[in-house]
Amino acid sequence: MLIGVLETDCLAEDLQRHFGTYPQMLQHWLTKQCADLRFRVYQAIDGELPADYRDCDAYVITGSKHGAYDDLPWIKSLIQWVRGAHAVQVKLAGICFGHQLIAHALGGLTEKSKKGWGVGVHQYRIECPKLSQSLEQVELGFLVSHQDQVVKLPPEADLTLPSPFCEYAGFRIGAHILTFQGHPEFFPDYIRHLMQSRRERLGESCYLKAWDSLDHPTDSGSVAQWLLTALGVDQLVCAG
């Protein structure tokens, strides 16, 4: 299976040396579950988008420091691409910024949250019937780092992951779109690095609470399986 990764941020070279690019983190995360996956990266931040929706079997939009509402040409182009992908029901996933942009593109609303930063490990209640039937837990833990939130879902969306802090932390549309506010592909050390660089902006209380939360486990493996199933990957083939 070929997954197209739409890269929407370019990390500084020192971060790339230590942690990799966003697409590399994504590939590392997903290939733990299915080593046979293939990836093609598109520099969406530079205006590069698939010429044909059939170029890949499925697509993932990465996180970014930008806002889905930013008045930038590449974001406008990506919004139009998402609308076209939805119209032909291309398999599509969004992570953090990708989650927010898909919502924004399809009739929802993303804005900077009045609740402040979401950072550290957050727990989201599972509202997906099929997933809740296949897992023993009722919540999923994600690494998170965001100020923006989806505050209104697209009309066709079904909520999958709510929490008191982030009401719309995940949604699905039909059988072709799945999104997450959290970063299941991130490493705890990468979040620690981000937090240290933003300590003053976060505020000491938020920083210390989030730092302590990093001792809690996350469910990145379960989320990877959920995402791959939604994208049409046969887990039996992967396991074999």
Side-chain angles (χ1 to χ4, degrees):
M1 181 175 191
L2 179 61
I3 297 178
V5 182
L6 307 187
E7 186 173 14
T8 59
D9 203 353
C10 185
L11 299 184
E13 289 186 5
D14 63 321
L15 290 177
Q16 291 186 32
R17 284 195 298 270
H18 286 91
F19 306 106
T21 63
Y22 278 157
Q24 286 170 343
M25 291 187 220
L26 183 78
Q27 292 172 38
H28 177 79
W29 169 54
L30 292 179
T31 52
K32 282 185 177 180
Q33 303 297 322
C34 186
D36 294 334
L37 294 173
R38 296 179 296 122
F39 298 88
R40 177 176 175 181
V41 178
Y42 297 85
Q43 297 291 335
I45 193 170
D46 293 327
E48 181 188 12
L49 293 169
D52 190 316
Y53 291 114
R54 295 169 294 182
D55 286 348
C56 298
D57 299 303
Y59 297 91
V60 180
I61 303 175
T62 71
S64 177
K65 62 178 173 287
H66 297 284
Y69 44 77
D70 287 347
D71 187 20
L72 296 171
W74 70 267
I75 290 180
K76 293 179 180 179
S77 296
L78 183 55
I79 284 174
Q80 292 302 318
W81 185 91
V82 166
R83 289 172 178 165
H86 173 50
V88 296
Q89 298 195 358
V90 168
K91 295 283 188 178
L92 176 64
I95 295 175
C96 197
F97 169 84
H99 157 79
Q100 297 161 3
L101 182 127
I102 292 171
H104 213 68
L106 300 182
L109 179 64
T110 297
E111 62 185 24
K112 197 169 296 297
S113 174
K114 297 176 182 178
K115 297 178 182 178
W117 281 91
V119 65
V121 175
H122 282 205
Q123 299 287 328
Y124 302 115
R125 190 176 73 251
I126 299 172
E127 290 287 335
C128 178
K130 288 185 178 179
L131 184 65
S132 61
Q133 291 168 11
S134 64
L135 296 174
E136 293 183 0
Q137 69 258 45
V138 297
E139 294 183 329
L140 290 174
F142 284 76
L143 290 167
V144 302
S145 181
H146 65 100
Q147 284 185 288
D148 290 350
Q149 289 193 24
V150 174
V151 296
K152 176 185 174 185
L153 289 177
E156 301 172 77
D158 294 314
L159 178 65
T160 58
L161 295 171
S163 80
F165 180 80
C166 187
E167 186 175 359
Y168 305 116
F171 65 86
R172 62 181 180 178
I173 297 178
H176 62 289
I177 292 178
L178 182 66
T179 74
F180 309 118
Q181 175 58 66
H183 278 284
E185 84 285 14
F186 275 3
F187 309 106
D189 283 349
Y190 179 61
I191 291 287
R192 288 188 178 94
H193 178 91
L194 291 180
M195 288 175 56
Q196 288 173 330
S197 67
R198 297 169 176 170
R199 185 166 184 166
E200 187 173 338
R201 292 167 60 191
L202 293 172
E204 197 65 7
S205 176
C206 176
Y207 173 85
L208 292 175
K209 182 178 179 181
W211 191 270
D212 288 344
S213 76
L214 293 174
D215 291 331
H216 301 160
T218 64
D219 296 290
S220 62
S222 296
V223 176
Q225 292 174 16
W226 183 18
L227 176 62
L228 290 174
T229 299
L231 295 181
V233 177
D234 189 330
Q235 293 297 304
L236 293 177
V237 171
C238 289

